[in-house]
Amino acid sequence: MPPRRPGRCPIASKNFRRTVWRRTPSAPPRPPAADSVPAPTAPVPADAAEPGSVVEAALYRDGVRVSSPAGLAETFRELRRQPSGMAWIGLARPTAAELHSLAAEFDLHPLAVEDAMEAHQRPKLERYGDTLFVVLRAARYLDAPEEVDFAELHVFVGPDFLITVRHGTAPDLSAVRRRMEDSPELLKLGPEAVLYAILDAVVDGYAPVVAGVQNDIDEIETEVFRGDPAVSRRIYELSREMVEFQRATRPLVGMLHGLMAGFSKYGTDEELQRYLRDVADHVTHISERVDGFRQALTEILTVNATLVTQQQNAEMRALAEAGFEQNEEIKKISSWAAILFAPTLVGTIYGMNFTHMPELTWRFGYPFAIGLMGVVCVSLYLIFKRRDWL
């Protein structure tokens, strides 16, 4: 395959030159003058960053692997000996020394290196000279806890190198590497083809997440109408995950449109352009599904709040009815107690053993007392009956 022309890569700057200066061993530095001020930060030598987190490193020429270096230092030496090759380096949670070594070798921008070390970045696409820096948020659905796990992936894409810095377990970049090595015609298109494959893997990883979330929403709808008291918490937790999912997918739409515009501008292979358009279509579809999930969860939360309110109103109504019935029973008991209290009072008065009581010697005293009891009881009964207490 003939060497690529300058400006061939659509994802780098317009003047896409090869940095030949870093492919040859640099001359030993001159000793500083006595009155010179030492540099505040010296570049980390390549040999000082032996692989502590290098997952895999390989060199390719014309889409075929030609070397599998054991570490970063060996990768740098191999790439200097083969300036027409492409290096693909994969790291997982690298150390600062490793990233500084890569920055010194491939002239990576300090801001991009700082982002790669700190992680916790939103998806973005930035150009630093000849290098493209891409931040992606991969996702996977965990069946056991029924939640979405997010991982961060940083990608440095240059004229003849691609570096992946992974902060998490997703996506499976080894599968991406095997796929590209099984398609040498695609791999020989260069780092931009590898970037496409990584984007495609990240977006394909969203599909199981969408299916899992859809299943969760179906279960939540059933729980809502079944009156499960724990469903509100599940809705809230899933809503928060959908916010994170939106933050992972929504920026990808603009990023891929920007890449497609660059592909058209710099005349990249038409087949690769079709592949990228397919990924953009999938991202758009996923983003719309996530927006729909969030809207559905908002509506479900509203319905659940309405159902809970209705249930509370029904319970309060039932309590009120029970209180009313209890009050009616109390009124009946109180009425009969008052009716029975009247003869008891009269009988108690005349039951006192005093010698001088006017009615004790009266001939009609007893009939009068009995009649008084009857009149008071009948009067109280009629009064309570009229007031619907009896």
Side-chain angles (χ1 to χ4, degrees):
M1 177 180 178
R4 288 176 293 169
R5 294 179 289 106
R8 177 72 172 174
C9 180
I11 54 178
S13 62
K14 185 174 182 179
N15 184 18
F16 203 149
R17 65 188 185 281
R18 288 190 175 274
T19 53
V20 181
W21 64 269
R22 66 167 181 268
R23 298 291 171 247
T24 58
S26 58
R30 292 179 297 173
D35 56 349
S36 63
V37 179
T41 305
V44 181
D47 295 337
E50 288 303 318
S53 59
V54 178
V55 178
E56 189 172 4
L59 267 67
Y60 300 89
R61 184 186 294 116
D62 294 333
V64 178
R65 183 189 290 224
V66 296
S67 177
S68 300
L72 292 181
E74 185 178 346
T75 302
F76 300 157
R77 287 192 292 268
E78 290 285 341
L79 194 56
R80 292 190 189 108
R81 286 197 293 265
Q82 303 179 32
S84 61
M86 179 192 75
W88 182 353
I89 304 171
L91 301 98
R93 296 186 179 89
T95 63
E98 290 170 335
L99 286 176
H100 284 307
S101 174
L102 291 166
E105 176 68 20
F106 296 112
D107 194 23
L108 304 180
H109 197 278
L111 292 177
V113 174
E114 182 181 356
D115 289 345
M117 281 192 293
E118 294 182 357
H120 304 294
Q121 305 292 321
R122 298 192 67 178
K124 61 182 179 179
L125 175 72
E126 294 178 345
R127 288 185 175 88
Y128 297 98
D130 289 345
T131 304
L132 183 69
F133 179 60
V134 181
V135 178
L136 302 172
R137 293 288 303 278
R140 60 173 183 159
Y141 185 80
L142 305 179
D143 291 325
E146 293 184 339
E147 62 184 24
V148 183
D149 178 47
F150 295 94
E152 198 164 322
L153 176 65
H154 299 174
V155 185
F156 294 91
V157 185
D160 49 6
F161 68 89
L162 184 134
I163 303 168
T164 59
V165 179
R166 197 174 64 193
H167 296 273
T169 56
D172 185 6
L173 295 181
S174 61
V176 177
R177 191 183 292 267
R178 289 193 300 269
R179 172 193 173 189
M180 295 300 291
E181 290 180 351
D182 291 340
S183 305
E185 292 298 321
L186 182 60
L187 183 57
K188 72 179 182 181
L189 296 178
E192 58 268 28
V194 180
L195 176 60
Y196 147 74
I198 293 174
L199 288 168
D200 188 48
V202 171
V203 174
D204 285 347
Y206 293 151
V209 178
V210 169
V213 171
Q214 181 64 67
N215 183 65
D216 285 347
I217 291 178
D218 293 341
E219 292 178 356
I220 286 174
E221 289 177 344
T222 302
E223 293 173 359
V224 164
F225 290 101
R226 195 169 54 198
D228 191 338
V231 70
S232 297
R233 181 179 181 87
R234 188 177 181 187
I235 295 173
Y236 174 74
E237 292 175 350
L238 190 58
S239 297
R240 292 190 61 183
E241 291 177 353
M242 289 304 96
V243 171
E244 290 296 321
F245 207 0
Q246 269 189 329
R247 291 175 181 172
T249 58
R250 184 172 291 178
L252 281 181
V253 178
M255 290 169 54
L256 287 168
H257 285 335
L259 283 176
M260 287 190 296
F263 277 9
S264 301
K265 180 178 180 180
Y266 296 108
T268 304
D269 184 83
E270 182 64 27
E271 188 68 14
L272 191 56
Q273 293 187 43
R274 283 194 289 268
Y275 286 149
L276 192 68
R277 283 195 294 269
D278 181 67
V279 176
D281 291 340
H282 290 171
V283 168
T284 302
H285 176 69
I286 293 293
S287 181
E288 291 174 352
R289 290 289 302 276
V290 174
D291 292 342
F293 287 158
R294 192 173 180 188
Q295 180 65 29
L297 287 170
T298 301
E299 294 174 355
I300 291 173
L301 189 60
T302 302
V303 171
N304 182 64
T306 302
L307 293 176
V308 170
T309 302
Q310 292 177 350
Q311 183 179 1
Q312 290 176 346
N313 291 339
E315 292 175 354
M316 293 178 63
R317 189 181 304 111
L319 289 174
E321 292 175 354
F324 177 77
E325 293 177 359
Q326 189 176 32
N327 189 36
E328 292 297 317
E329 295 297 329
I330 291 175
K331 287 194 293 184
K332 292 179 181 180
I333 295 173
S334 301
S335 300
W336 286 114
I339 293 172
L340 295 175
F341 175 73
T344 303
L345 178 62
V346 175
T348 302
I349 293 174
Y350 284 98
M352 294 185 293
N353 297 322
F354 291 105
T355 304
H356 302 287
M357 290 185 70
E359 293 82 4
L360 292 180
T361 59
W362 184 32
R363 181 177 180 181
F364 299 102
Y366 177 73
F368 174 78
I370 296 299
L372 180 61
M373 294 179 189
V375 169
V376 173
C377 290
V378 171
S379 300
L380 289 176
Y381 177 81
L382 294 175
I383 292 172
F384 292 142
K385 190 68 174 178
R386 182 178 299 175
R387 295 184 178 181
D388 293 331
W389 284 31
L390 292 175

